[in-house]
Amino acid sequence: MNDRISQLLKRAPSSELVVVEGWVRTKRESKTVCFLEVNDGSCLKGLQVVIDLQSFDQSELLAKVTTGAAVSCTGELVASPGGNQAVELQARSIVLHGEAPVDTYPLQKKRHTLEYLREIAHLRPRTNMIGAVARVRNEVSYAVHSFFHDRQFSYVHTPIISTSDAEGAGEMFQVTTFDLDNIPRTEEGAVDYAKDFFGRKASLTVSGQLEGETYAMALKNIYTFGPTFRAENSNTKRHLSEFWMIEPEMAFCTLEGDMQVAEDFLKYIFAHVLDNCSEDMAFFSQWVEKGVADTLRSVVEKPFVHMTYTDAVAELEKNNKSFDYPVHWGSDLQTEHERYLTEVVCKGPVIVTDYPKEIKAFYMKLNDDGKTVRAMDVLVPRLGEIIGGSERESRLDVLTERMVSLNLDPADYWWYLDLRRFGSVPHAGFGLGFDRAIQYITGMQNIRDVIPYPRAAKQADF
């Protein structure tokens, strides 16, 4: 394979012939010389290709080389007299692999709106903005696996198709092979799921947590990293119907250990991006969110403040008049509350713990007060919640009683309850929405611009 442009830009001038492969970003011509900027997605900058028209014998081909065309250029790397790059390619020959006619190619040399780019999601990775997002997304994926691998976590692939609602919210996409014009029904008129493919009602997973817990009970420390789905009809800049989740689960672990791993994890991936994506992060800081790199750096450098939900509400109530949603004990914290805690009260990342049981999931460990659970949310400046987790309820009787109180049938979760019957241990875990983390890292305002093909209500065009 030939070197990528990111590698060639770091090389010294040489008489050795090299091949540059990529897509033309811009083309400039005079009577004697033609300049192409070629980009292959490996970095923000393209490589300038210089063609001496007086000696170049491919003028007919060159006329077909326009913005968006795919080319291979062969030549020598020479010192560039311009100030924008150290080297440029003095072309000897060009191969045109694919034309991009000017009158029909949707991406020209101008700034396109992100709304327009969503309409051509198959071409938008060729832009500076979405290309930079893709590189950051790639590096964060690598950092996720590196963090857990270095700490001897096992990577577990949990099922995409599930019969359990891990969140208990019922916002699940159903999976069926039924003919929707002729759905079989029981004598009582209910849908006869016994005749469906799986013999029972099945859906796309909302979380791999419950299945992940089963492997934590055998392998001790595991993590999942895969797609999850929510049939939540939310048309906001922070919600998707299909998104990726990272969910570690740790046996012999309490809430305190869970919080420490969450803090270490965020600091690790943010530091990795700052170290390995400096060019792209400078781009985001200049064109997307001023100072976004500095925000990440402050999260890496500052210790996370710990605060109970009760103490957090007490702080927020002092400022209730300024909130759109006044807070009181028992209410769920909104983004405005979370940002106030991080940006005004603590001036940095905060972990809020011990939430009321009524606003948290059934599997979270009940505290001795009978009112709160061993839950934790990690809040960061500019976003609010970025991680949610808890110590899991490891007591069979307490968990069963909690399910019944929420109208969940324990029989549907018999295998999950078996973990409490056979070798139960304290265990904990958390979830990080990968796409929302990328949105935070890059400063992008809409989550639909940080995933290749966004899925949301009335949106599945590609």
Side-chain angles (χ1 to χ4, degrees):
M1 294 179 65
N2 294 308
D3 284 347
R4 303 295 300 275
I5 286 175
S6 59
Q7 298 168 302
L8 294 174
L9 286 171
K10 298 174 184 177
R11 287 174 58 172
S14 170
S15 59
E16 175 189 355
L17 286 181
V18 297
V19 179
V20 175
E21 300 162 330
W23 293 265
V24 176
R25 285 281 180 86
T26 61
K27 179 183 181 182
R28 294 181 290 116
E29 283 186 279
S30 68
K31 289 184 178 180
T32 59
V33 67
C34 176
F35 299 96
L36 303 177
E37 183 192 353
V38 179
N39 188 280
D40 67 355
S42 61
C43 57
L44 193 63
K45 286 185 177 180
L47 180 66
Q48 180 165 275
V49 176
V50 183
I51 303 151
D52 184 349
L53 296 179
Q54 294 175 316
S55 60
F56 195 71
D57 60 1
Q58 293 179 283
S59 57
E60 195 171 312
L61 176 144
L62 193 58
K64 299 177 183 178
V65 176
T66 57
T67 297
V71 297
S72 295
C73 305
T74 302
E76 299 97 359
L77 283 177
V78 300
S80 176
N84 292 328
Q85 61 279 319
V87 294
E88 60 190 25
L89 187 81
Q90 194 74 47
R92 289 193 182 185
S93 64
I94 295 176
V95 175
L96 175 60
H97 296 283
E99 297 181 41
V102 175
D103 55 343
T104 56
Y105 183 55
L107 293 171
Q108 293 299 323
K109 189 186 176 183
K110 64 178 182 178
R111 184 173 296 179
H112 298 287
T113 66
L114 291 170
E115 290 78 11
Y116 170 71
L117 292 178
R118 282 176 220 139
E119 297 174 5
I120 53 169
H122 58 303
L123 294 173
R124 67 176 182 167
R126 299 187 191 184
T127 65
N128 283 339
M129 187 80 71
I130 304 302
V133 169
R135 285 186 293 274
V136 167
R137 190 177 176 103
N138 173 64
E139 281 296 334
V140 176
S141 297
Y142 177 80
V144 168
H145 290 298
S146 296
F147 175 86
F148 289 116
H149 182 269
D150 292 349
R151 288 156 183 78
Q152 295 185 306
F153 280 65
S154 297
Y155 180 31
V156 173
H157 299 150
T158 52
I160 301 297
I161 299 173
S162 175
T163 57
S164 301
D165 183 356
E167 298 301 318
E171 297 167 335
M172 304 178 76
F173 288 104
Q174 215 169 312
V175 176
T176 181
T177 57
F178 279 154
D179 176 358
L180 299 185
D181 294 323
N182 187 26
I183 297 176
R185 297 188 178 275
T186 64
E187 292 181 0
E188 293 77 20
V191 176
D192 190 356
Y193 286 107
K195 295 179 180 177
D196 204 354
F197 186 89
F198 293 105
R200 59 181 301 182
K201 188 175 181 179
S203 304
L204 296 178
T205 185
V206 296
S207 168
Q209 178 199 317
L210 303 190
E211 293 89 350
E213 284 186 54
T214 68
Y215 270 73
M217 294 299 104
L219 304 181
K220 195 170 187 281
N221 294 334
I222 67 95
Y223 72 105
T224 73
F225 185 4
T228 53
F229 308 84
R230 301 280 169 87
E232 181 182 7
N233 194 4
S234 296
N235 189 22
T236 76
K237 295 180 178 181
R238 296 179 58 186
H239 288 87
L240 290 167
S241 296
E242 177 185 319
F243 54 97
W244 286 65
M245 283 285 288
I246 301 154
E247 297 177 293
E249 290 291 330
M250 298 158 284
F252 302 94
C253 181
T254 61
L255 182 65
E256 288 70 25
D258 198 29
M259 290 189 289
Q260 188 61 59
V261 173
E263 179 174 344
D264 293 345
F265 177 57
L266 280 183
K267 289 183 174 181
Y268 182 93
I269 60 175
F270 290 172
H272 181 90
V273 169
L274 291 170
D275 291 343
N276 293 278
C277 301
S278 57
E279 181 186 42
D280 290 320
M281 289 307 302
F283 173 82
F284 292 125
S285 292
Q286 180 178 359
W287 297 106
V288 179
E289 176 81 26
K290 299 296 183 185
V292 65
D294 292 333
T295 301
L296 294 187
R297 197 167 287 109
S298 70
V299 174
V300 172
E301 294 172 353
K302 289 184 177 180
F304 289 15
V305 174
H306 291 200
M307 178 183 293
T308 66
Y309 169 88
T310 299
D311 289 341
V313 167
E315 285 290 342
L316 293 167
E317 285 178 329
K318 298 175 185 177
N319 195 56
N320 251 345
K321 291 182 180 179
S322 67
F323 295 135
D324 291 333
Y325 300 95
V327 68
H328 60 273
W329 201 97
S331 62
D332 209 352
L333 301 186
Q334 304 297 317
T335 300
E336 61 176 340
H337 307 140
E338 296 167 344
R339 291 190 60 175
Y340 184 82
L341 290 172
T342 58
E343 296 168 14
V344 179
V345 177
C346 298
K347 294 182 170 53
V350 182
I351 303 180
V352 178
T353 64
D354 302 296
Y355 284 78
K357 66 180 181 180
E358 286 79 13
I359 61 174
K360 288 298 181 180
F362 72 91
Y363 50 74
M364 298 186 177
K365 184 175 181 178
L366 191 66
N367 281 319
D368 292 340
D369 61 13
K371 299 190 303 182
T372 61
V373 290
R374 298 281 280 166
M376 64 102 176
D377 285 344
V378 181
L379 316 179
V380 290
R382 195 169 48 80
L383 175 67
E385 181 194 343
I386 192 169
I387 279 178
S390 72
E391 183 174 341
R392 315 311 190 188
E393 182 56 76
S394 58
R395 297 165 293 184
L396 176 62
D397 56 340
V398 178
L399 181 57
T400 303
E401 184 179 335
R402 181 92 168 107
M403 285 179 169
V404 172
S405 71
L406 294 172
N407 296 318
L408 296 173
D409 186 353
D412 291 338
Y413 296 85
W414 64 270
W415 54 273
Y416 186 66
L417 293 173
D418 268 0
L419 301 180
R420 281 73 183 170
R421 294 187 179 99
F422 311 122
S424 183
V425 299
H427 59 290
F430 61 81
L432 169 71
F434 181 68
D435 309 282
R436 194 170 290 182
I438 300 300
Q439 187 182 7
Y440 181 70
I441 290 168
T442 59
M444 297 292 283
Q445 297 302 302
N446 197 314
I447 198 168
R448 299 179 190 189
D449 298 321
V450 301
I451 190 169
Y453 294 100
R455 296 289 182 256
K458 304 292 190 294
Q459 187 172 33
D461 297 331
F462 297 91

